[in-house]
């Protein structure tokens, strides 16, 4: 690679070279220890004499900006306390828009990037050690061979045909989805699917209905489009459909496992939601983020499978089933918006990286995904049982669990006034990461409590961690026995 030096005209050639090299070293553009081209090579590239380049190297060496090593070459020697390059503070016409982006909330970003405690009840994260590395490695090697056959060419915007077909089959088998592969768009995770749908369907000032409490990232995505985001209350049956405002264009729900409370949406409420959306002409986003893991009761139909009007966009992700760093998800689109979403996808990133798509298509096609889900199901069921043991037993005086039949998180509602922030602080000192339920409310929290993910914490660690939490609670608010009405409510519904 050529060193970026510009020589203008025929005067002061050595001076031009010296000033540019000196500035590049002092500003840090050339890193400490970086080797410069040999004087003969640089002279040839710039059309200068070798003596001119050698003289400049000698001068920089005298100023201790270069260090020469005999028989090896010349290396940058950055001065201590090198001043940072200053840019002129030109007033920008887009300054207000830039300021709005700088102040736009990025919920859950800090929690996802911070180093978790030894005992972490973080949501939306699986245990990496359970991922079938050998099977995935074989699929990646297959993908490299497949990718090599199409090297130098862009992939289809909506995803590789093999993966779209595999996803359509998987969604039909596991969630009863009715679709063709042409309705499937492969995305870089579920979050991109939300962004594509919002970008396609919303204009500034449009109304979007979301669950309250709900997934804060979805709310932030819709608000970033200039939409008016209306929180709609949830009860034990899910989102209250009749409270969806008139004029709503888009409705975001998590019917299989409400985020964050955990209860499923009842069948009556699902029908009511579909009818209300049909009446409004609104698209429903069904975020099916972790329903692959079901522990009790009969499987319920997906909202998309009940849709007679062509208004449900079903969003799925492999981040929670497999690994988040794979950044692979999908959306099954109503036929009426397929072409529009594909256009937005093309303008956004052209297509999702094809290597991962080839590997995932092979992983699904060979049955590895379903086997992995079955293995993880047994693991998560054991962890869920330990949480139920603690919260329906020793921790019942302080909390009760919201009934949830799927996923790998639960919500625990506080049974009496309790300083949740102080509990979280003391738990962190004991190397335990707990998370407040109130953080998922946009307005004032209707319920105080805890959001407990069990995808990333081992079964034995749950017992150790919750024994410590019990000791903290006893120290904060000593309670000898649980009131009878609390024990009876341990399996009740959201008030």
């Amino acid at each position: 690679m050529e060193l970026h030096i510009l020589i203008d005209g025929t005067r002061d050639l050595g001076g031009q070279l010296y000033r540019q090299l000196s500035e590049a070293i002092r500003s840090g553009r050339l890193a400490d220890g970086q080797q410069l081209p040999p004087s003969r090579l640089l002279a040839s590239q710039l059309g200068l004499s070798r003596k001119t380049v050698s003289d400049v190297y000698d001068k920089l060496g005298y100023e201790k900006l270069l260090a020469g090593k005999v028989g090896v070459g010349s290396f940058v020697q950055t001065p201590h306390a090198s001043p940072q390059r200053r840019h002129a503070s030109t007033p920008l016409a887009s300054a207000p828009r830039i300021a709005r982006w700088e102040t736009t909330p990025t919920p859950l970003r800090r929690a996802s990037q911070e180093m978790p405690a030894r005992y972490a009840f973080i949501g939306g994260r699986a245990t990496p050690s359970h991922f079938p590395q050998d099977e995935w490695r074989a699929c990646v090697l297959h993908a490299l061979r497949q990718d090599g056959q199409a090297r130098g060419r862009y992939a289809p915007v909506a995803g590789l045909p093999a993966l779209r077909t595999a996803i359509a089959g998987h969604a039909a088998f596991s969630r009863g989805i009715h679709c063709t592969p042409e309705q499937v768009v492969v995305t870089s995770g579920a979050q991109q699917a939300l962004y594509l749908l919002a970008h396609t369907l919303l204009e500034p000032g449009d109304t979007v209905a979301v669950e309250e409490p709900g997934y804060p990232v979805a709310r932030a995505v819709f608000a970033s489009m200039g939409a008016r985001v209306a929180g709609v209350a949830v009860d034990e049956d899910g989102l209250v459909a009749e409270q969806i405002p008139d004029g709503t264009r888009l409705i975001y729900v998590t019917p299989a496992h409400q985020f964050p409370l955990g209860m499923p949406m009842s069948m009556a409420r699902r029908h009511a939601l579909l009818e209300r959306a049909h009446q409004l002409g609104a698209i429903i986003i069904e975020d099916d983020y972790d329903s692959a893991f079901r522990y009790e009761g009969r499987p319920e139909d997906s909202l998309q499978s009940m849709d007679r009007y062509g208004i449900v966009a079903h969003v799925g992700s492999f981040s929670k089933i497999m690994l988040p760093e794979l950044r692979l998800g999908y959306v099954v689109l109503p036929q009426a918006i397929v072409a529009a979403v594909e256009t937005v996808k093309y303008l956004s990133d052209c297509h999702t990286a094809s290597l991962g798509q080839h590997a995932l298509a092979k992983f699904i096609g060979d049955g590895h995904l379903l086997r992995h889900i079955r293995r993880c199901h047994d693991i998560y069921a054991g962890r869920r049982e330990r949480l139920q043991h603690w919260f329906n037993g020793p921790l019942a005086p302080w909390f009760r669990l919201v009934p949830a039949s799927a996923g790998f998180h639960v919500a625990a509602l506080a049974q009496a006034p309790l300083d949740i922030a102080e509990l979280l602080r003391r738990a962190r000192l004991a190397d335990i990461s707990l998370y407040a339920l109130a953080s998922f409310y946009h307005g004032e929290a209707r319920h105080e409590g805890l959001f407990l993910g069990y995808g990333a914490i081992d079964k034995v660690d749950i017992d150790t961690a919750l024994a410590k939490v019990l000791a903290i609670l006893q120290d904060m608010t000593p309670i000898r026995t649980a009131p009878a009405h609390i024990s009876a409510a341990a399996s009740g519904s959201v008030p």
Side-chain angles (χ1 to χ4, degrees), residues 1-5 37-48:
M1 183 181 296
E2 293 187 1
L3 178 62
H4 182 70
I5 298 290
S39 57
R40 185 189 300 276
L41 176 59
L42 186 59
S44 174
Q45 291 173 348
L46 299 178
L48 304 177

Side-chain angles (χ1 to χ4, degrees), residues 137-156 160-163 353-363 366:
R137 185 180 298 108
C139 292
V140 171
L141 291 174
H142 166 81
L144 285 169
R145 293 190 292 271
Q146 295 296 113
D147 225 24
Q149 297 174 11
R151 189 146 298 155
R153 297 199 299 270
Y154 290 101
L160 297 175
L163 180 56
S354 57
L355 181 65
Q357 291 191 60
H358 279 301
L360 181 57
K362 176 75 170 173
F363 193 77
D366 287 356

Side-chain angles (χ1 to χ4, degrees), residues 3 40 49 126 129 137 165 339 383 418 462 472 487:
L3 178 62
R40 185 189 300 276
S49 69
S129 60
R137 185 180 298 108
T165 300
R383 296 175 185 177
L418 181 64
I462 291 175
I472 293 170
S487 297

Side-chain angles (χ1 to χ4, degrees), residues 305-322:
S305 69
M306 300 169 58
D307 177 18
R308 297 180 293 114
Y309 305 117
I311 56 174
V312 175
H314 181 92
V315 173
S317 173
F318 297 99
S319 295
K320 295 171 181 61
I321 298 176
M322 297 170 66

